[in-house]
Amino acid sequence: MVSRAGDWLRQAERDLEHARRSMELGDYEWACFAAHQAAEKAVKAIYQKLGIEVWGHSVSRMLEQLPAEHGVPEGLIDGAKELDRHYIPTRYPNFHPEGAPMDYYTRADAERAIRHAEEIVRFCKDKVLQA
């Protein structure tokens, strides 16, 4: 089977750029969601490179379940846990007691999410290129 790791990484980088643009437009909830998507796709690129099928959307779980030789730093997993919290609430008003997701996200949230995603994408890209 042909590895699609490069495709997953390219899309991760595109999603990360989308997160940055969304933040600059003030669409902080979308910036946070796109940051999550970038990280998710980057981690899935590693699994593709390893030839391991992975399902789900939890970036932290996928990082934690990588083979031990990948040495995922604890701080990276902590950042992934924060990104995981942006998967649903950024998109659905019924997650919140009232108001829309756009009412609950700030520039600081977006900046943090993008920073975490950048670290995860960089880590994954290094792993994919080494493999």
Side-chain angles (χ1 to χ4, degrees):
M1 179 196 295
V2 175
S3 172
R4 302 282 313 270
D7 296 334
W8 283 91
L9 271 178
R10 286 179 47 237
Q11 192 62 51
E13 290 174 333
R14 176 80 165 207
D15 290 357
L16 188 52
E17 186 55 38
H18 177 72
R20 292 181 187 116
R21 285 192 311 268
S22 292
M23 182 179 71
E24 291 310 315
L25 291 171
D27 297 336
Y28 304 131
E29 76 283 13
W30 280 109
C32 291
F33 178 67
H36 172 274
Q37 291 295 285
E40 178 184 335
K41 291 169 187 167
V43 175
K44 287 183 176 180
I46 295 177
Y47 279 93
Q48 277 285 312
K49 190 69 174 186
L50 296 173
I52 300 171
E53 192 169 346
V54 65
W55 291 93
H57 304 285
S58 174
V59 179
S60 61
R61 181 191 55 78
M62 287 186 283
L63 283 172
E64 288 170 335
Q65 292 181 352
L66 278 170
E69 64 266 16
H70 288 285
V72 181
E74 191 65 33
L76 211 61
I77 293 171
D78 289 345
K81 287 178 180 179
E82 184 171 337
L83 288 173
D84 286 343
R85 292 194 294 269
H86 298 311
Y87 182 65
I88 292 175
T90 52
R91 298 176 291 148
Y92 299 104
N94 62 338
F95 182 87
H96 304 283
E98 63 181 59
M102 61 190 272
D103 301 326
Y104 291 88
Y105 287 87
T106 66
R107 184 176 183 90
D109 293 326
E111 288 171 347
R112 238 183 0 268
I114 289 168
R115 188 175 62 251
H116 294 313
E118 288 170 340
E119 292 167 356
I120 291 168
V121 169
R122 190 173 329 125
F123 172 84
C124 294
K125 188 174 184 177
D126 289 347
K127 294 296 181 182
V128 168
L129 295 176
Q130 288 174 6

